[in-house]
Amino acid sequence: MSDEQREPAEGSASRGRVPSSLHLSATKLRWGLLIGALGAVLAAMVTMLVTGFENDKGLEAHQPGSEPVVRDKEFSSANVGDCLSWTKADRSDLVKVNCDDKHLFEVAGVIDLAAYPGREFAGGTRHPDSLRMTELRDEHCVPAVQQYLGGRFDPRGRYMVNVMSPSPAGWQHGDRTLRCGLQVAATATSPAATGAVASQDQSKVHATGTCLGINQNLPTDPVDCAQPHSVEIVGTVDLASNFTGGPPSEADQDKYVESECNRLSTDYLGSPDAIRNKTLTLFFDYLEPTSWLAGSHKLDCWLGKGADREGFAAIVGSARGEILIDGQAPVPPPNTGRSTPAPLPGAAPLPPQPQPR
Protein backbone atom coordinates (compact mmCIF):
# COMPACT_ATOMS: atom_id res chain seq x y z
CA MET A 1 0.00 0.00 0.00
CA SER A 2 1.20 3.50 -0.76
CA ASP A 3 2.54 5.61 2.11
CA GLU A 4 0.75 8.64 0.71
CA GLN A 5 -0.96 10.67 3.44
CA ARG A 6 -4.73 10.54 3.39
CA GLU A 7 -7.03 12.42 5.70
CA PRO A 8 -10.08 10.37 6.69
CA ALA A 9 -13.54 11.73 7.01
CA GLU A 10 -14.69 11.97 10.61
CA GLY A 11 -16.55 8.80 11.54
CA SER A 12 -15.11 6.63 8.78
CA ALA A 13 -13.17 3.44 9.28
CA SER A 14 -9.46 3.69 8.60
CA ARG A 15 -6.66 1.15 8.58
CA GLY A 16 -4.05 3.48 9.97
CA ARG A 17 -5.21 6.39 7.86
CA VAL A 18 -4.59 9.41 10.02
CA PRO A 19 -4.72 13.19 9.60
CA SER A 20 -1.84 14.47 7.53
CA SER A 21 -0.63 16.51 10.50
CA LEU A 22 0.52 13.26 12.13
CA HIS A 23 3.17 12.73 9.43
CA LEU A 24 2.61 8.99 9.66
CA SER A 25 1.88 6.67 6.79
CA ALA A 26 -0.44 3.74 7.33
CA THR A 27 2.47 1.32 7.35
CA LYS A 28 4.52 3.39 9.79
CA LEU A 29 1.59 3.82 12.14
CA ARG A 30 0.87 0.11 12.13
CA TRP A 31 4.43 -0.98 12.83
CA GLY A 32 5.16 2.03 15.03
CA LEU A 33 2.40 0.96 17.39
CA LEU A 34 3.64 -2.60 17.43
CA ILE A 35 7.30 -1.81 17.96
CA GLY A 36 6.49 0.80 20.58
CA ALA A 37 4.35 -1.64 22.51
CA LEU A 38 6.86 -4.46 22.29
CA GLY A 39 9.67 -2.14 23.28
CA ALA A 40 7.78 -1.34 26.45
CA VAL A 41 7.19 -5.04 27.02
CA LEU A 42 10.89 -5.81 26.80
CA ALA A 43 11.75 -2.94 29.08
CA ALA A 44 9.24 -4.23 31.61
CA MET A 45 10.74 -7.72 31.35
CA VAL A 46 14.36 -6.64 31.78
CA THR A 47 14.51 -8.05 35.33
CA MET A 48 13.59 -11.49 34.04
CA LEU A 49 16.08 -11.24 31.22
CA VAL A 50 18.91 -10.27 33.52
CA THR A 51 18.41 -12.09 36.78
CA GLY A 52 15.87 -14.83 36.36
CA PHE A 53 15.09 -15.38 40.04
CA GLU A 54 16.36 -13.05 42.69
CA ASN A 55 16.37 -15.32 45.72
CA ASP A 56 18.42 -18.25 46.97
CA LYS A 57 15.46 -20.30 48.20
CA GLY A 58 14.68 -23.71 46.79
CA LEU A 59 18.22 -24.34 45.61
CA GLU A 60 19.26 -27.91 44.99
CA ALA A 61 22.89 -29.07 45.13
CA HIS A 62 24.30 -31.50 42.55
CA GLN A 63 27.75 -33.04 42.28
CA PRO A 64 28.70 -33.54 38.61
CA GLY A 65 32.34 -34.46 39.12
CA SER A 66 34.26 -32.74 41.89
CA GLU A 67 32.86 -29.20 41.57
CA PRO A 68 29.45 -28.60 43.18
CA VAL A 69 26.77 -26.92 41.07
CA VAL A 70 23.86 -25.17 42.72
CA ARG A 71 20.66 -24.84 40.73
CA ASP A 72 17.25 -23.22 41.27
CA LYS A 73 15.20 -26.35 41.85
CA GLU A 74 11.92 -25.47 40.10
CA PHE A 75 13.61 -23.45 37.38
CA SER A 76 16.29 -26.01 36.53
CA SER A 77 13.79 -28.88 36.38
CA ALA A 78 11.44 -27.08 33.95
CA ASN A 79 11.33 -28.87 30.60
CA VAL A 80 9.91 -28.08 27.17
CA GLY A 81 6.13 -27.93 27.39
CA ASP A 82 6.02 -27.07 31.10
CA CYS A 83 4.08 -24.02 32.24
CA LEU A 84 5.31 -21.81 35.07
CA SER A 85 3.62 -19.32 37.35
CA TRP A 86 4.41 -17.09 40.31
CA THR A 87 2.77 -14.39 42.40
CA LYS A 88 5.69 -12.59 44.04
CA ALA A 89 7.61 -9.82 42.30
CA ASP A 90 10.93 -11.64 42.82
CA ARG A 91 9.38 -14.90 41.52
CA SER A 92 10.61 -16.71 44.63
CA ASP A 93 7.38 -18.75 44.65
CA LEU A 94 7.77 -20.02 41.08
CA VAL A 95 6.00 -23.34 40.51
CA LYS A 96 5.18 -25.62 37.61
CA VAL A 97 1.45 -25.76 36.88
CA ASN A 98 -0.88 -27.50 34.46
CA CYS A 99 -0.95 -25.50 31.22
CA ASP A 100 -4.75 -25.67 31.28
CA ASP A 101 -4.60 -23.54 34.44
CA LYS A 102 -3.56 -19.90 34.58
CA HIS A 103 0.15 -19.46 34.06
CA LEU A 104 2.68 -16.79 33.10
CA PHE A 105 5.31 -18.62 31.06
CA GLU A 106 5.29 -21.65 28.76
CA VAL A 107 8.69 -23.27 28.23
CA ALA A 108 9.51 -23.79 24.56
CA GLY A 109 13.20 -24.63 24.75
CA VAL A 110 16.10 -25.26 27.13
CA ILE A 111 19.47 -23.78 26.12
CA ASP A 112 22.70 -24.83 27.85
CA LEU A 113 25.19 -22.02 27.49
CA ALA A 114 27.90 -24.29 28.88
CA ALA A 115 28.05 -25.83 25.42
CA TYR A 116 28.79 -22.43 23.90
CA PRO A 117 32.30 -22.31 22.39
CA GLY A 118 34.87 -20.10 24.07
CA ARG A 119 35.04 -18.86 27.64
CA GLU A 120 32.19 -16.32 27.59
CA PHE A 121 30.04 -18.49 29.85
CA ALA A 122 32.76 -20.49 31.63
CA GLY A 123 32.94 -20.85 35.39
CA GLY A 124 33.65 -17.63 37.24
CA THR A 125 32.27 -15.39 34.49
CA ARG A 126 29.68 -12.73 35.21
CA HIS A 127 26.01 -13.02 34.35
CA PRO A 128 25.37 -11.51 30.87
CA ASP A 129 23.96 -8.00 30.91
CA SER A 130 20.51 -7.14 29.55
CA LEU A 131 21.77 -6.37 26.04
CA ARG A 132 23.57 -9.71 25.78
CA MET A 133 20.55 -11.55 27.19
CA THR A 134 18.37 -9.90 24.56
CA GLU A 135 20.80 -11.07 21.88
CA LEU A 136 20.72 -14.61 23.31
CA ARG A 137 16.93 -14.53 23.33
CA ASP A 138 16.79 -13.50 19.68
CA GLU A 139 19.52 -15.95 18.69
CA HIS A 140 18.25 -19.02 20.54
CA CYS A 141 14.69 -18.49 21.71
CA VAL A 142 13.02 -17.24 18.54
CA PRO A 143 14.11 -20.37 16.61
CA ALA A 144 13.22 -22.55 19.63
CA VAL A 145 9.69 -21.14 19.70
CA GLN A 146 9.26 -21.63 15.96
CA GLN A 147 10.36 -25.24 16.29
CA TYR A 148 8.15 -25.76 19.36
CA LEU A 149 5.07 -24.51 17.49
CA GLY A 150 5.92 -26.17 14.19
CA GLY A 151 6.46 -22.81 12.51
CA ARG A 152 3.01 -21.56 13.55
CA PHE A 153 4.05 -18.55 15.63
CA ASP A 154 2.49 -15.16 14.98
CA PRO A 155 5.17 -12.51 15.73
CA ARG A 156 2.46 -9.83 15.72
CA GLY A 157 0.00 -11.82 17.80
CA ARG A 158 -1.04 -12.29 21.39
CA TYR A 159 2.20 -13.88 22.57
CA MET A 160 5.81 -12.76 22.75
CA VAL A 161 9.07 -14.69 22.97
CA ASN A 162 11.04 -14.26 26.18
CA VAL A 163 13.88 -15.90 28.09
CA MET A 164 14.41 -16.76 31.74
CA SER A 165 17.88 -17.13 33.18
CA PRO A 166 19.25 -18.62 36.41
CA SER A 167 19.34 -16.55 39.57
CA PRO A 168 22.63 -14.82 40.42
CA ALA A 169 23.31 -17.56 42.96
CA GLY A 170 22.57 -20.27 40.42
CA TRP A 171 24.80 -18.59 37.86
CA GLN A 172 27.59 -18.15 40.41
CA HIS A 173 27.48 -21.84 41.20
CA GLY A 174 27.63 -22.95 37.58
CA ASP A 175 24.08 -23.08 36.21
CA ARG A 176 24.24 -21.94 32.58
CA THR A 177 20.81 -23.05 31.36
CA LEU A 178 18.25 -20.68 29.87
CA ARG A 179 14.52 -21.32 29.49
CA CYS A 180 13.05 -19.97 26.28
CA GLY A 181 9.32 -19.51 26.27
CA LEU A 182 6.12 -17.66 25.51
CA GLN A 183 4.21 -15.03 27.46
CA VAL A 184 1.16 -12.91 26.78
CA ALA A 185 2.50 -9.67 25.28
CA ALA A 186 1.88 -6.68 27.53
CA THR A 187 3.49 -3.38 28.46
CA ALA A 188 3.52 -3.83 32.24
CA THR A 189 2.90 -6.90 34.39
CA SER A 190 2.51 -10.07 32.37
CA PRO A 191 -1.13 -11.19 32.09
CA ALA A 192 -1.91 -14.83 32.75
CA ALA A 193 -2.60 -17.26 29.93
CA THR A 194 -4.82 -20.34 29.97
CA GLY A 195 -4.08 -23.30 27.74
CA ALA A 196 -0.99 -24.22 25.74
CA VAL A 197 -0.17 -21.74 22.98
CA ALA A 198 -0.35 -24.41 20.27
CA SER A 199 -4.07 -24.83 20.99
CA GLN A 200 -4.87 -21.10 21.07
CA ASP A 201 -5.89 -18.52 18.50
CA GLN A 202 -2.91 -16.15 18.58
CA SER A 203 -4.87 -13.13 17.30
CA LYS A 204 -4.09 -10.04 19.38
CA VAL A 205 -7.68 -9.02 20.08
CA HIS A 206 -9.65 -7.79 23.10
CA ALA A 207 -13.17 -8.01 24.42
CA THR A 208 -15.61 -5.45 23.01
CA GLY A 209 -15.70 -2.42 25.30
CA THR A 210 -12.05 -2.73 26.33
CA CYS A 211 -10.06 0.52 26.51
CA LEU A 212 -6.30 0.44 25.97
CA GLY A 213 -4.21 2.79 28.09
CA ILE A 214 -1.91 5.41 26.66
CA ASN A 215 1.78 6.12 27.10
CA GLN A 216 3.67 8.55 24.88
CA ASN A 217 0.64 8.64 22.57
CA LEU A 218 0.72 4.86 22.01
CA PRO A 219 -1.64 2.12 23.24
CA THR A 220 -0.68 0.12 26.32
CA ASP A 221 -2.47 -2.49 28.44
CA PRO A 222 -6.25 -2.50 29.05
CA VAL A 223 -7.49 0.07 31.58
CA ASP A 224 -10.85 1.23 32.89
CA CYS A 225 -12.39 3.52 30.28
CA ALA A 226 -12.72 6.21 32.96
CA GLN A 227 -8.90 6.42 32.89
CA PRO A 228 -6.98 8.14 30.09
CA HIS A 229 -6.80 5.78 27.14
CA SER A 230 -5.82 5.74 23.49
CA VAL A 231 -8.51 3.61 21.87
CA GLU A 232 -11.72 1.75 22.68
CA ILE A 233 -12.52 -1.63 21.14
CA VAL A 234 -15.94 -1.50 19.47
CA GLY A 235 -15.88 -5.03 18.05
CA THR A 236 -13.78 -7.82 16.58
CA VAL A 237 -13.86 -9.04 12.98
CA ASP A 238 -13.21 -12.70 12.21
CA LEU A 239 -11.82 -12.77 8.69
CA ALA A 240 -12.11 -16.55 8.57
CA SER A 241 -15.88 -16.15 8.34
CA ASN A 242 -15.41 -14.47 4.94
CA PHE A 243 -12.10 -15.81 3.61
CA THR A 244 -10.92 -19.38 3.21
CA GLY A 245 -7.73 -20.88 1.90
CA GLY A 246 -4.58 -18.79 1.71
CA PRO A 247 -4.00 -15.31 3.12
CA PRO A 248 -6.48 -12.76 1.69
CA SER A 249 -5.01 -9.76 -0.09
CA GLU A 250 -4.61 -6.48 1.71
CA ALA A 251 -7.21 -4.82 -0.53
CA ASP A 252 -9.75 -7.58 0.09
CA GLN A 253 -9.16 -7.37 3.83
CA ASP A 254 -9.55 -3.60 3.78
CA LYS A 255 -12.89 -3.74 2.02
CA TYR A 256 -14.33 -6.40 4.30
CA VAL A 257 -12.93 -5.11 7.62
CA GLU A 258 -13.94 -1.51 6.94
CA SER A 259 -17.51 -2.58 6.25
CA GLU A 260 -17.62 -4.77 9.35
CA CYS A 261 -16.03 -2.15 11.61
CA ASN A 262 -18.54 0.46 10.50
CA ARG A 263 -21.39 -1.97 11.24
CA LEU A 264 -19.94 -2.98 14.60
CA SER A 265 -19.33 0.64 15.66
CA THR A 266 -22.93 1.59 14.84
CA ASP A 267 -24.19 -1.36 16.88
CA TYR A 268 -21.84 -0.49 19.74
CA LEU A 269 -22.65 3.24 19.87
CA GLY A 270 -26.31 2.96 18.88
CA SER A 271 -26.11 5.55 16.12
CA PRO A 272 -24.24 5.93 12.80
CA ASP A 273 -23.67 9.63 13.63
CA ALA A 274 -22.10 9.07 17.07
CA ILE A 275 -18.51 8.77 15.82
CA ARG A 276 -18.77 11.98 13.82
CA ASN A 277 -20.45 13.87 16.65
CA LYS A 278 -17.68 12.83 19.03
CA THR A 279 -14.99 13.74 16.45
CA LEU A 280 -13.55 10.23 16.60
CA THR A 281 -12.24 7.89 13.91
CA LEU A 282 -12.32 4.14 13.42
CA PHE A 283 -8.94 2.47 12.95
CA PHE A 284 -8.16 -1.07 11.96
CA ASP A 285 -5.12 -3.11 11.03
CA TYR A 286 -4.66 -5.95 8.59
CA LEU A 287 -3.23 -9.45 8.91
CA GLU A 288 0.16 -10.19 7.42
CA PRO A 289 0.48 -13.54 5.59
CA THR A 290 2.72 -14.82 8.41
CA SER A 291 -0.05 -14.12 10.93
CA TRP A 292 -2.70 -15.77 8.75
CA LEU A 293 -0.59 -18.88 8.22
CA ALA A 294 0.01 -19.10 11.98
CA GLY A 295 -3.76 -19.28 12.48
CA SER A 296 -4.51 -15.68 13.50
CA HIS A 297 -7.68 -14.59 11.72
CA LYS A 298 -9.18 -11.84 13.90
CA LEU A 299 -8.78 -8.06 14.04
CA ASP A 300 -10.06 -5.44 16.47
CA CYS A 301 -11.93 -2.28 15.43
CA TRP A 302 -10.38 0.64 17.33
CA LEU A 303 -12.14 3.90 18.07
CA GLY A 304 -9.77 6.77 18.81
CA LYS A 305 -8.58 10.25 17.96
CA GLY A 306 -5.38 11.14 16.14
CA ALA A 307 -3.11 13.41 18.17
CA ASP A 308 -1.62 16.66 16.95
CA ARG A 309 1.66 14.77 16.96
CA GLU A 310 2.31 11.11 16.23
CA GLY A 311 -0.02 8.56 17.76
CA PHE A 312 -3.29 9.04 19.60
CA ALA A 313 -4.89 11.70 21.77
CA ALA A 314 -5.83 10.83 25.37
CA ILE A 315 -9.53 10.08 25.85
CA VAL A 316 -11.37 9.83 29.17
CA GLY A 317 -14.74 8.09 29.31
CA SER A 318 -16.37 5.48 27.12
CA ALA A 319 -17.52 6.59 23.68
CA ARG A 320 -20.95 5.27 24.63
CA GLY A 321 -21.29 8.26 26.96
CA GLU A 322 -19.68 11.62 27.57
CA ILE A 323 -15.98 11.84 26.75
CA LEU A 324 -13.08 14.25 27.05
CA ILE A 325 -10.34 14.39 24.42
CA ASP A 326 -7.10 15.81 25.79
CA GLY A 327 -9.22 17.30 28.59
CA GLN A 328 -11.76 18.98 26.29
CA ALA A 329 -15.30 17.99 25.40
CA PRO A 330 -15.56 17.24 21.66
CA VAL A 331 -17.32 19.82 19.51
CA PRO A 332 -19.34 18.19 16.71
CA PRO A 333 -18.28 19.49 13.30
CA PRO A 334 -20.79 21.59 11.36
CA ASN A 335 -23.00 19.76 8.94
CA THR A 336 -21.36 20.31 5.56
CA GLY A 337 -24.29 18.92 3.61
CA ARG A 338 -25.97 21.42 1.30
CA SER A 339 -29.46 22.58 2.18
CA THR A 340 -31.89 24.17 -0.23
CA PRO A 341 -33.84 27.04 1.37
CA ALA A 342 -37.50 27.49 0.58
CA PRO A 343 -37.86 29.83 -2.40
CA LEU A 344 -39.27 33.33 -1.89
CA PRO A 345 -42.84 33.94 -2.99
CA GLY A 346 -42.94 34.38 -6.72
CA ALA A 347 -39.38 33.23 -7.15
CA ALA A 348 -40.13 29.58 -7.71
CA PRO A 349 -40.00 28.44 -11.31
CA LEU A 350 -43.38 27.99 -12.94
CA PRO A 351 -44.53 24.43 -13.38
CA PRO A 352 -44.65 23.16 -16.95
CA GLN A 353 -47.39 24.97 -18.87
CA PRO A 354 -49.59 23.40 -21.53
CA GLN A 355 -48.58 24.44 -25.01
CA PRO A 356 -51.23 26.26 -27.14
CA ARG A 357 -52.76 24.13 -29.84
Side-chain angles (χ1 to χ4, degrees):
M1 186 183 70
S2 170
D3 285 349
E4 179 183 359
Q5 299 293 338
R6 283 173 277 184
E7 187 163 345
E10 302 278 357
S12 65
S14 170
R15 181 177 54 76
R17 297 174 187 170
V18 294
S20 57
S21 60
L22 294 187
H23 306 296
L24 276 178
S25 68
T27 300
K28 289 181 180 177
L29 174 64
R30 188 166 62 241
W31 283 102
L33 295 176
L34 175 72
I35 293 169
L38 290 187
V41 172
L42 299 180
M45 294 298 175
V46 69
T47 301
M48 178 175 292
L49 287 170
V50 175
T51 64
F53 300 94
E54 299 171 350
N55 76 308
D56 296 335
K57 298 178 182 178
L59 297 180
E60 185 178 31
H62 299 269
Q63 298 286 341
S66 59
E67 183 179 359
V69 177
V70 179
R71 300 179 184 274
D72 304 287
K73 184 175 181 180
E74 289 293 311
F75 172 72
S76 63
S77 63
N79 293 314
V80 174
D82 287 340
C83 289
L84 310 176
S85 193
W86 56 88
T87 60
K88 296 182 179 180
D90 64 359
R91 294 174 293 282
S92 59
D93 60 343
L94 178 137
V95 292
K96 282 182 278 188
V97 298
N98 191 310
C99 290
D100 290 335
D101 298 328
K102 288 184 177 181
H103 58 272
L104 298 176
F105 192 87
E106 181 175 345
V107 180
V110 179
I111 308 299
D112 185 2
L113 295 178
Y116 222 84
R119 291 193 48 80
E120 181 181 5
F121 307 114
T125 57
R126 299 182 63 179
H127 191 290
D129 61 19
S130 60
L131 178 60
R132 183 63 176 128
M133 286 301 299
T134 300
E135 292 174 346
L136 291 169
R137 180 203 61 204
D138 294 343
E139 180 180 351
H140 295 288
C141 293
V142 172
V145 164
Q146 288 287 4
Q147 181 178 1
Y148 177 66
L149 295 177
R152 295 174 62 85
F153 173 65
D154 182 358
R156 298 186 57 207
R158 182 172 181 238
Y159 301 94
M160 64 171 286
V161 177
N162 211 343
V163 61
M164 298 177 75
S165 65
S167 69
W171 184 274
Q172 181 182 355
H173 288 86
D175 189 353
R176 295 295 185 268
T177 57
L178 305 178
R179 263 66 188 174
C180 299
L182 292 150
Q183 290 181 283
V184 175
T187 60
T189 57
S190 180
T194 303
V197 173
S199 64
Q200 305 299 309
D201 185 330
Q202 297 180 42
S203 303
K204 190 172 179 60
V205 294
H206 304 81
T208 298
T210 299
C211 289
L212 302 183
I214 187 167
N215 184 13
Q216 297 182 3
N217 296 80
L218 294 176
T220 59
D221 298 335
V223 297
D224 190 294
C225 291
Q227 309 244 344
H229 57 271
S230 54
V231 294
E232 184 171 351
I233 310 302
V234 299
T236 299
V237 180
D238 186 354
L239 278 76
S241 65
N242 189 69
F243 300 102
T244 58
S249 70
E250 187 174 334
D252 288 342
Q253 287 188 51
D254 279 357
K255 183 178 179 181
Y256 178 67
V257 176
E258 181 170 0
S259 174
E260 286 296 289
C261 282
N262 277 310
R263 178 183 64 81
L264 290 168
S265 67
T266 298
D267 292 345
Y268 182 77
L269 299 175
S271 166
D273 299 323
I275 296 180
R276 178 181 180 276
N277 291 338
K278 295 177 185 293
T279 69
L280 299 174
T281 301
L282 270 172
F283 296 89
F284 59 91
D285 204 344
Y286 91 104
L287 291 170
E288 300 277 3
T290 51
S291 298
W292 182 271
L293 295 173
S296 297
H297 297 151
K298 298 177 181 178
L299 290 171
D300 277 338
C301 304
W302 292 5
L303 189 61
K305 175 76 172 182
D308 291 336
R309 50 195 182 279
E310 296 181 354
F312 294 96
I315 300 173
V316 173
S318 170
R320 283 177 159 174
E322 300 298 322
I323 64 171
L324 297 176
I325 303 175
D326 284 339
Q328 302 294 320
V331 178
N335 190 336
T336 57
R338 294 183 178 180
S339 60
T340 304
L344 296 174
L350 292 173
Q353 300 295 309
Q355 296 297 319
R357 293 178 184 267

